[in-house]
């Protein structure tokens, strides 16, 4: 199983390490043509506006939309969540616009308001250690979106079919259970397709 990590910005090496712990091969993705050889894709954190600009500059927008259209799983963390959303509060244009969610950028405040906490996540046996850094929030979801986790009644993780998102950074701890959940999504797709 080969899973790409979009290597335009963010904690690429940490995601690759988490994927390897979860039993998958993680590779940095710098060119759209690499997507053809991948089973899944992670869009990491960073600054969503910058990531969006770089995705447009390097022709990733249509390539990732096509990747998604094929039903291949995509996991967006922090800024990656914003990039996948169909709606961004206070902004006219979405980036990929693939997931039926609306998000609020930097909903948890600035860098100094960053924190760690344990979260209950639907589908995981144990609470997950989650790191929030200038994290976005999911403010609304369509009926087809499954809420996986909340923090203080706010949505911080969700899934819609082959799309998975989290407000937090699961790659910044040694708990790789959410990456394992993502690789299992990929495996189930393989069984269905084959």
């Amino acid at each position: 199983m080969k899973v790409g990590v979009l290597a335009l910005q963010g904690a690429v090496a940490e995601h690759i390490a988490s994927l390897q712990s979860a039993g998958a091969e993680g590779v940095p993705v710098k060119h759209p043509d690499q997507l053809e050889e991948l089973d899944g894709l992670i869009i990491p954190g960073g600054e969503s506006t910058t990531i969006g600009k770089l995705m447009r500059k390097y022709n990733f927008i249509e390539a990732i939309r096509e990747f998604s259209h094929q039903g291949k799983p995509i996991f967006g963390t922090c800024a990656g969540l914003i990039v996948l959303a169909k709606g961004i509060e206070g902004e006219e244009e979405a980036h990929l616009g693939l997931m039926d969610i609306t998000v609020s950028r930097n909903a948890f405040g600035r860098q100094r308001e960053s924190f760690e906490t344990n979260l209950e996540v639907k589908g995981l046996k144990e609470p997950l250690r989650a790191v929030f850094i200038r994290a976005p929030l999911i403010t609304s979801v369509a009926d087809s979106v499954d809420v996986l986790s909340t923090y203080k009644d706010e949505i911080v993780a969700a899934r819609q079919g082959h799309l998975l998102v989290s407000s937090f950074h699961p790659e910044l701890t040694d708990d790789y259970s959410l990456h394992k959940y993502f690789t299992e999504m990929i495996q189930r797709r393989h069984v269905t397709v084959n």
Side-chain angles (χ1 to χ4, degrees):
M1 185 191 316
K2 191 184 274 192
V3 182
V5 181
L6 191 64
L8 300 177
Q9 201 188 43
V12 177
E14 290 84 347
H15 272 295
I16 288 172
S18 294
L19 284 166
Q20 286 168 336
S21 296
E25 179 189 357
V27 293
V29 176
K30 296 183 178 180
H31 305 286
D33 53 5
Q34 287 179 265
L35 294 170
E36 291 171 25
E37 61 197 46
L38 300 177
D39 302 301
L41 178 69
I42 292 176
I43 303 174
E47 210 289 309
S48 60
T49 307
T50 304
I51 293 171
K53 283 178 182 165
L54 291 170
M55 286 170 71
R56 288 172 178 86
K57 181 178 178 180
Y58 296 110
N59 302 313
F60 270 108
I61 297 285
E62 285 311 316
I64 293 174
R65 283 179 180 156
E66 176 55 31
F67 187 88
S68 175
H69 186 65
Q70 294 169 19
K72 291 185 177 182
I74 303 174
F75 181 14
T77 64
C78 197
L81 173 156
I82 298 167
V83 169
L84 281 171
K86 281 193 177 169
I88 305 168
E89 288 185 1
E91 295 184 30
E92 290 175 21
E93 189 184 13
H95 299 290
L96 289 167
L98 291 171
M99 192 166 177
D100 291 314
I101 57 174
T102 301
V103 298
S104 171
R105 297 173 69 225
N106 296 343
F108 282 112
R110 311 210 67 73
Q111 194 88 17
R112 59 191 161 76
E113 274 101 37
S114 302
F115 64 96
E116 282 187 41
T117 189
N118 289 330
L119 287 178
E120 296 287 341
V121 180
K122 188 174 167 182
L124 300 185
K125 293 183 179 73
E126 301 287 332
L128 176 77
R129 192 74 185 156
V131 179
F132 289 83
I133 303 171
R134 292 175 58 218
L137 269 181
I138 301 170
T139 54
S140 68
V141 298
D143 291 341
S144 55
V145 176
D146 193 12
V147 174
L148 299 182
S149 186
T150 58
Y151 175 76
K152 295 187 175 175
D153 297 324
E154 305 278 14
I155 304 168
V156 295
R159 177 178 175 183
Q160 184 177 28
H162 64 288
L163 303 173
L164 177 68
V165 291
S166 70
S167 298
F168 50 88
H169 291 267
E171 79 283 4
L172 296 182
T173 73
D174 55 8
D175 183 343
Y176 58 86
S177 54
L178 200 57
H179 287 80
K180 184 72 178 167
Y181 178 96
F182 182 59
T183 62
E184 286 167 358
M185 283 171 58
I186 296 168
Q187 284 169 329
R188 277 195 290 276
R189 178 186 177 269
H190 269 295
V191 171
T192 311
V193 171
N194 299 326

